[in-house]
Amino acid sequence: MSSDTPRRSSHNTLASVDQDSKSLECKTLTTSTSLTAASLAVPPSSSPSQPKIAPPIPPVKYSKRFRAKNDPDVARARAIYFRAYASGMGLVILSIFAIFTIYWGSLWKVPAHSLQGWVVDFDGGEVGQYVVSELSAINNPVMHWNVVSSDVFGDVEGVIDALRDDKSWAAVIINPGASARLADSIASPNDAYQGTDAISVYAVEARNEQAYRNFIRPAAQASLEVIKAKFTIMLAGRLASAGNLGSILSTSPQTLVEPLGYRLVNIIPFNQPVASAVAFVGLIYLLILAFFIVMIAHGAREASGINRMLGCGSLIRVRLVSCLVGYFFLSFFYSLLNLAFKLDLTRRYGHGGFLVFWMLNWIGMLAVGMALESMITILTPRYIPFFMLLWIITNVSVCVFPIDMLPKIYRYGYAVPFYNISNSIRSIAFGTKDTRSYHFRHYIQITADYHNPVGLNFGVLFAWVLLSCITLPLLQWYVRRRDDRTETVNTLPVINPKESA
């Protein structure tokens, strides 16, 4: 037993030591764990022995240079910028040669064709026959004088009425009794004789002031001056041996100095300079105002989200109604601007002229603006300025000079909005008649007589509005269908061939 006692004692001692060592290890582990947690809880600044990890520095705005060499972000942005800028510049250069040439071409060879004028002899004597013979023989590139019998008109007032209706650009009339008055002054010298009573030249400046001032009036004067000088020389040679030559020189010297003359009569003068703003340059402003409305409406649709919210039919109705209502009020204030600067609109329609003028501007805005509204659907705001440039140039090119003087390719001008708006404005502001009615009868052989001077112009403008009412829904439907198809393709799941196998 004594031997077993020591063994048990030593075994108990070893177990106690082992238990104490395990307890010590647990305490040590607990202490190290708590120290580690404590060290982690301490801020980096309070533990100099731990390495400092700095947070990522966000990029600084507006700090980079365009020509930075080792910055991939700048290099990528620079390449995109150059591609976008070069492509845009290329389109602008292409527009110069493809679009601007339309306007330059309309002025390059003016007159490409001569304007048509009349020679009407109401005299029937020596003076009338001489003037008709000489004037019809003159080869003038500006005016071609056609001899028309006086029986067609009846009297001089008939010719004037025909010119008011724009049947011809000018008329040279040999007045009744011209030869008789000259013969009487030679036989019995009369100090009251005036050679300018022999011929009258009638034209309408308000129909196209540029053509009248630059071509019609100078051409008529140049031709008649030549005829006047030749007739004077011929008469002087014939009267050189006349027995009463001294009496003629003393009593009526103008009979020999100017036996034949002319008067230029401007039937409807362009005597409202402010009309130039609305009949020509103002048409460009009209289109620009319509373009503003197109861009405002597009921005409103994008900002409100109704482009993605409304159905195709509802969106089309919103766009059409927006154009009708917007241009209605915009044209009213545009018309008021002209009244503020005293544009007289009462010469043909009286006090109703303003209403006609307002409706003309409204339909005109619809004609040019709804075309832009339709095209922005497919061109988007990025490319619509190029179409607007083409739209302006094709319209303006046929409004500077008469289409009769331009190359035949510009005959399209009879159907563009600017031409018809300008003609109607001239009819309202000056009392002229639109030239379109004559050209329909002359070129297309329509026998109906158009008594309303602006009715046909309104008809052409309505045709443009109707065309836009057809093209806008079609383009909107096409774009909506294209976008839906693109979204469907983008939302389809991508299937990995290996997984499907």
Side-chain angles (χ1 to χ4, degrees):
M1 286 189 58
S2 62
S3 61
D4 292 334
T5 304
R7 289 178 182 175
R8 292 177 181 173
S9 175
S10 65
H11 177 74
N12 293 336
T13 303
L14 290 172
S16 171
V17 171
D18 185 59
Q19 185 176 2
D20 291 339
S21 65
K22 289 180 178 180
S23 174
L24 181 61
E25 287 178 0
C26 292
K27 289 180 181 179
T28 303
L29 181 61
T30 304
T31 304
S32 64
T33 303
S34 60
L35 288 173
T36 303
S39 65
L40 292 174
V42 176
S45 59
S46 63
S47 177
S49 61
Q50 298 291 331
K52 297 180 180 180
I53 302 175
I57 301 175
V60 181
K61 288 184 177 181
Y62 319 126
S63 61
K64 299 184 179 182
R65 299 174 63 249
F66 184 76
R67 299 176 61 185
K69 296 182 178 180
N70 298 322
D71 193 324
D73 293 335
V74 173
R76 183 169 54 255
R78 186 169 56 234
I80 296 173
Y81 172 81
F82 279 130
R83 284 198 301 269
Y85 187 85
S87 62
M89 180 66 71
L91 285 176
V92 173
I93 295 173
L94 181 64
S95 300
I96 292 176
F97 292 99
I99 299 176
F100 282 21
T101 51
I102 299 174
Y103 181 72
W104 263 253
S106 68
L107 306 176
W108 179 39
K109 288 187 176 181
V110 174
H113 304 282
S114 57
L115 296 175
Q116 300 299 311
W118 290 335
V119 182
V120 186
D121 181 14
F122 284 98
D123 174 52
E126 178 187 6
V127 174
Q129 294 174 5
Y130 184 85
V131 173
V132 169
S133 175
E134 291 292 327
L135 197 56
S136 59
I138 292 178
N139 185 15
N140 192 313
V142 175
M143 293 294 301
H144 177 72
W145 300 103
N146 300 297
V147 180
V148 182
S149 174
S150 60
D151 297 335
V152 175
F153 307 101
D155 56 11
V156 176
E157 289 298 323
V159 180
I160 295 175
D161 291 340
L163 291 174
R164 287 182 183 273
D165 286 341
D166 298 339
K167 298 300 190 300
S168 179
W169 286 97
V172 174
I173 296 177
I174 299 89
N175 293 313
S179 299
R181 286 193 297 272
L182 177 60
D184 291 343
S185 182
I186 293 173
S188 179
N190 182 8
D191 59 358
Y193 177 79
Q194 294 292 332
T196 53
D197 294 335
I199 301 174
S200 296
V201 182
Y202 292 94
V204 178
E205 180 187 14
R207 183 178 176 183
N208 189 303
E209 67 280 8
Q210 297 293 337
Y212 177 85
R213 297 167 186 172
N214 297 316
F215 295 103
I216 298 174
R217 183 175 60 189
Q221 290 175 333
S223 298
L224 291 176
E225 286 294 334
V226 172
I227 295 173
K228 171 184 168 181
K230 292 174 66 175
F231 186 82
T232 301
I233 294 173
M234 180 192 72
L235 185 64
R238 193 171 67 188
L239 296 178
S241 59
N244 62 342
L245 179 60
S247 176
I248 296 174
L249 292 174
S250 61
T251 306
S252 180
Q254 68 271 19
T255 303
L256 290 177
V257 175
E258 192 180 26
L260 182 65
Y262 61 92
R263 285 192 177 96
L264 189 61
V265 182
N266 187 356
I267 301 173
I268 306 178
F270 192 90
N271 54 6
Q272 295 193 79
V274 71
S276 297
V278 64
F280 179 61
V281 181
L283 298 176
I284 302 175
Y285 302 153
L286 194 77
L287 193 150
I288 293 175
L289 290 175
F291 178 73
F292 283 167
I293 297 300
V294 170
M295 297 306 297
I296 290 171
H298 183 274
R301 292 194 300 272
E302 292 293 328
S304 62
I306 63 173
N307 264 344
R308 311 290 300 175
M309 188 183 305
L310 300 183
C312 187
S314 180
L315 181 59
I316 291 171
R317 287 191 293 272
V318 168
R319 296 181 66 180
L320 292 176
V321 172
S322 298
C323 289
L324 291 171
V325 175
Y327 294 144
F328 182 80
F329 290 103
L330 190 64
S331 61
F332 174 71
F333 291 107
Y334 176 79
S335 301
L336 285 181
L337 174 67
N338 292 277
L339 282 188
F341 285 90
K342 307 299 182 182
L343 179 64
D344 187 6
L345 302 172
T346 63
R347 296 189 177 183
R348 177 172 285 275
Y349 300 100
H351 294 292
F354 175 77
L355 181 60
V356 178
F357 181 66
W358 175 20
M359 292 297 100
L360 174 68
N361 288 324
W362 181 38
I363 302 301
M365 277 190 176
L366 287 173
V368 298
M370 290 187 68
L372 295 169
E373 182 70 28
S374 297
M375 296 306 297
I376 197 174
T377 309
I378 194 167
L379 294 179
T380 71
R382 181 178 182 182
Y383 295 106
I384 193 64
F386 293 97
F387 176 76
M388 186 185 73
L389 183 63
L390 174 64
W391 198 217
I392 291 176
I393 294 298
T394 53
N395 275 272
V396 168
S397 299
V398 295
C399 291
V400 181
F401 293 112
I403 297 178
D404 291 350
M405 304 183 70
L406 307 182
K408 290 185 177 181
I409 191 174
Y410 291 94
R411 298 293 170 88
Y412 76 84
Y414 292 128
V416 298
F418 275 17
Y419 178 81
N420 290 275
I421 297 173
S422 178
N423 281 341
S424 294
I425 290 174
R426 293 173 186 275
S427 178
I428 297 169
F430 298 103
T432 63
K433 184 177 181 179
D434 66 313
T435 57
R436 190 75 176 121
S437 61
Y438 170 72
H439 287 289
F440 260 117
R441 292 196 298 273
H442 186 68
Y443 292 109
I444 311 180
Q445 302 299 321
I446 292 180
T447 57
D449 186 17
Y450 298 92
H451 298 288
N452 188 349
V454 298
L456 193 58
N457 296 142
F458 267 93
V460 173
L461 297 176
F462 271 118
W464 278 104
V465 176
L466 180 61
L467 178 63
S468 297
C469 288
I470 296 173
T471 56
L472 192 151
L474 291 176
L475 292 176
Q476 183 64 65
W477 172 81
Y478 169 77
V479 171
R480 176 63 64 87
R481 185 181 179 185
R482 182 193 63 187
D483 293 344
D484 290 344
R485 187 167 53 248
T486 302
E487 289 182 3
T488 302
V489 172
N490 292 336
T491 54
L492 289 176
V494 180
I495 300 175
N496 192 339
K498 294 182 179 180
E499 294 179 358
S500 61

